[in-house]
Amino acid sequence: MTKPYEVNPAGELTIGGVTATELVQEFQTPLYVYDVSKIRQAMQGFIQVFEAANIDYVVSFASKAFATTAMYEVAAQEGIHLDVVSGGEISTALNANYPMAHVSFNGNNKSYAELELALDNGLGTIIVDNLYELHMISELAAARGIVQNILMRITPGVEAHTHEFIQTGQTDSKFGFDVNSGQAQTAYLEAQADANVNLLGVHAHIGSQIFDIVGFEAAAEKLVDIVHEWGFEPAVINTGGGFGIRYTDEDEPKPTSDFVTAIINKIQTKTAEYNMPMPAVWIEPGRSIVGPAGTSLYTIGSRKDVPGIRSYLAVDGGMGDNVRPAMYQSNYEAILATNPSAPTEQVVRVAGKYCESGDVLVWQQALPKTQPGDVLAVLATGAYGYSMASNYNRNPIPAVVFVENGVAKEVVARQTYADIIHLDRHYV
């Protein structure tokens, strides 16, 4: 089986052509590192599938997975659109000089101020989640004398095979207009009658880290069925993202091209059955673009051996820089940076430094012999690590480094203690 990492002739882990130990010497740990070439390859892989299908499309990076100025700059270079979910992500796109016409805005409770920011900066498409929001958009667009492009997010009643906390397409969800109750059709009729908005089409997102193509096919088919029932010929059908990636050997993801091809084929087949025009197909991959490209580097510290139970190997990061294991019981693979292929001599639980018993990065990992000061690399941490990071226990958030063609550049500076306390105000 091909290893999901690269080594140099000396057997050391390399990222983007630079050894992990060199990166640690320059930037310290904990450290988020991205191989930019892998990000570009993933983006181009999606584009190539659509180009081969010869249909109209948009590949929109779901930036909640990893939102930084540098990431948005790479997306612009590769011709990828952005999907944002907050005023902060909109502001980051503006800071990156990203073309705002290529941005879509998702979310179930967009504020008035966030919508003002979006409309005042020419944001391309707002994905409407509820009637309250539709009314705000109409009011704001009318006041500005513009017609705002929108998609309607609907919950198609499709449940993905994933963790229950990251299922979003089923009927019982905080997201989108419910179809079964008639709520979605009511919103559709209101949007069509509103001169301040231009309803481009419909949107659905069935969940995250999904390996089963059937769920995406079912959602695509359901979306076409729904718009046909309404008598609506959409210009756009957006099937969201959620394509699964490899975290450990237990994961067996299909190529992302298989998912996209299946979605395209299903929409083509269903629209042909109904004698409808083929709409543009939009997708929103996030994790599948940045997840495999990211590696988190840590320095090993203390160890605790509990006879007959397990051994804990502690590192200088943890749930503050990767909360997914604590939140979702997610698992990762860790390797020794200096010699990933060395024979394993121990099985440990990789724990963090935070004051929580659930602060775990890897639940069970076979490793070579280690000692304090060694560099441990946790693989495939490019999605939802930095973006969900916190200052819990008042620990600084690590730096982010991009590496490409043997050149490393810090694109987000490491927080300092001064950064953490600079918004504090004295009470006495």
Side-chain angles (χ1 to χ4, degrees), residues 62-396:
S63 57
K64 66 179 185 283
F66 175 58
T68 68
T69 298
M71 180 61 202
Y72 288 174
E73 290 171 338
V74 172
Q77 288 176 342
E78 297 300 325
I80 296 291
H81 288 217
L82 294 182
D83 172 61
V84 300
V85 295
S86 71
E89 291 184 356
I90 294 171
S91 297
T92 303
L94 291 168
N95 190 55
N97 294 314
Y98 189 88
M100 298 304 290
H102 292 171
V103 179
S104 56
F105 187 11
N106 247 308
N108 71 301
N109 191 29
K110 306 175 187 72
S111 71
Y112 197 88
E114 287 175 322
L115 290 170
E116 284 186 309
L117 181 64
L119 270 65
D120 288 342
N121 286 283
L123 187 144
T125 307
I126 299 176
I127 300 172
V128 180
D129 210 270
N130 50 70
L131 284 172
Y132 170 71
E133 179 186 313
L134 179 61
H135 298 159
M136 282 197 294
I137 294 168
S138 179
E139 175 189 333
L140 290 166
R144 287 157 175 76
I146 64 173
V147 177
Q148 177 62 48
N149 286 335
I150 65 171
L151 297 177
M152 274 181 52
R153 179 166 181 170
I154 62 179
T155 52
V158 175
E159 296 191 21
H161 295 161
T162 185
H163 192 287
E164 64 176 307
F165 293 162
I166 49 179
Q167 290 180 343
T168 54
Q170 71 274 29
T171 299
D172 185 8
S173 171
K174 75 172 187 176
F175 293 104
F177 295 96
D178 174 52
V179 174
N180 295 336
S181 67
Q183 184 184 94
Q185 186 171 16
T186 298
Y188 159 71
L189 293 171
E190 185 167 330
Q192 285 289 66
D194 191 332
N196 301 311
V197 298
N198 176 33
L199 180 61
L200 295 176
V202 292
H203 170 286
H205 180 73
I206 62 173
S208 297
Q209 188 60 0
I210 302 167
F211 293 154
D212 190 351
I213 289 176
V214 172
F216 290 100
E217 291 179 319
E221 184 171 21
K222 189 76 175 287
L223 290 174
V224 179
D225 286 339
I226 290 165
V227 296
H228 178 256
E229 289 174 12
W230 294 346
F232 179 40
E233 294 183 349
V236 173
I237 289 182
N238 185 336
T239 59
F243 315 123
I245 68 168
R246 180 198 181 278
Y247 283 109
T248 71
D249 286 339
E250 295 178 357
D251 298 325
E252 297 181 358
K254 296 177 177 65
T256 52
S257 58
D258 289 1
F259 289 97
V260 179
T261 299
I263 291 167
I264 293 170
N265 289 344
K266 185 59 69 174
I267 293 175
Q268 285 178 324
T269 300
K270 289 297 294 184
T271 52
E273 284 180 15
Y274 291 133
N275 197 28
M276 293 168 57
M278 178 65 184
V281 177
W282 291 17
I283 60 170
E284 296 168 351
R287 183 196 317 266
S288 54
I289 286 177
V290 292
T295 304
S296 296
L297 301 179
Y298 303 96
T299 299
I300 294 173
S302 66
R303 179 190 183 99
K304 178 181 179 180
D305 296 302
V306 184
I309 299 179
R310 78 178 80 255
S311 295
Y312 291 88
L313 194 65
V315 297
D316 57 351
M319 65 188 298
D321 56 77
N322 187 357
V323 74
R324 292 187 69 252
M327 180 179 289
Y328 300 136
Q329 294 76 53
S330 304
N331 207 5
Y332 289 85
E333 178 181 357
I335 57 175
L336 188 62
T338 52
N339 193 354
S341 301
T344 59
E345 298 185 20
Q346 58 180 326
V347 175
V348 298
R349 175 164 289 179
V350 180
K353 62 174 288 183
Y354 293 78
C355 289
E356 295 286 344
S357 297
D359 177 25
V360 172
L361 289 171
V362 184
W363 298 99
Q364 184 168 290
Q365 182 65 57
L367 287 170
K369 183 179 180 181
T370 57
Q371 59 186 8
D374 284 344
V375 175
L376 192 72
V378 180
L379 307 177
T381 57
Y384 305 105
Y386 173 78
S387 64
M388 297 177 79
S390 76
N391 291 126
Y392 185 49
N393 294 164
R394 291 235 143 170
N395 284 301

